[in-house]
Amino acid sequence: MSDKPSVLFVCVHNAGRSQMAAGWLRHLAGDTVAVRSAGSEPADRINPVAVEAMREVSIDITDQTPNRLSWDAAEASDVIVTMGCGDACPVFPGKRYEDWQLTDPAGQPLDVVRQVRDDIRLRVTALLADLGAKGEAA
């Protein structure tokens, strides 16, 4: 890993879980970690309930758009965190992988998405500590 680790969050649609995780990591790590997110089958927009859940904790993800997972993004990342994309997420040799089993927020009410958001925060905080990156206090 370089002095500035890089993390890629991947889920199917890149509209909920991976966007919330990327939002948390950007918020908690500042510019100490390069943050990417992508999907194996990206949606055309971010899940509005995920946007609302993140807004409640003062994190704005409205400027993000779902992206297709690319070889370049994976190759440029030190850690790849998958979230429910199963076989649709290709394996890239030489990368550290984590698979986070999280409820898919698609079609879920705000209360459920809040739980997913809070679970993601705990996981991102642990990942940030593991990377040894200096970020804001979690």
Side-chain angles (χ1 to χ4, degrees):
M1 256 187 274
S2 69
D3 289 342
K4 182 175 181 173
S6 57
V7 177
L8 171 63
F9 295 103
V10 183
C11 66
V12 175
H13 296 113
N14 190 220
R17 294 167 289 191
S18 56
Q19 291 288 353
M20 289 192 290
W24 273 121
L25 188 54
R26 281 191 295 273
H27 176 74
L28 295 170
D31 64 359
T32 65
V33 176
V35 181
R36 299 175 181 86
S37 69
S40 54
E41 297 174 28
D44 51 344
R45 66 184 178 116
I46 296 181
N47 179 335
V49 182
V51 169
E52 178 58 29
M54 294 301 283
R55 183 178 293 129
E56 290 179 349
V57 293
S58 302
I59 298 173
D60 183 5
I61 59 172
T62 58
D63 62 340
Q64 302 300 308
T65 56
N67 297 297
R68 180 165 303 282
L69 177 61
S70 70
W71 179 267
D72 291 342
E75 192 170 52
S77 301
D78 297 308
V79 179
I80 299 174
V81 178
T82 58
M83 305 173 188
C85 55
D87 293 339
C89 287
V91 174
F92 297 90
K95 300 298 172 183
R96 172 180 159 189
Y97 279 86
E98 291 191 19
D99 185 44
W100 294 355
Q101 299 296 314
L102 297 162
T103 299
D104 185 350
Q108 298 290 338
L110 184 55
D111 285 346
V112 172
V113 178
R114 284 181 184 126
Q115 292 171 0
V116 175
R117 174 200 67 203
D118 295 344
D119 187 3
I120 290 171
R121 179 188 180 152
L122 293 173
R123 292 169 189 251
V124 166
T125 300
L127 176 63
L128 186 57
D130 190 48
L131 291 173
K134 304 258 190 282
E136 296 176 20

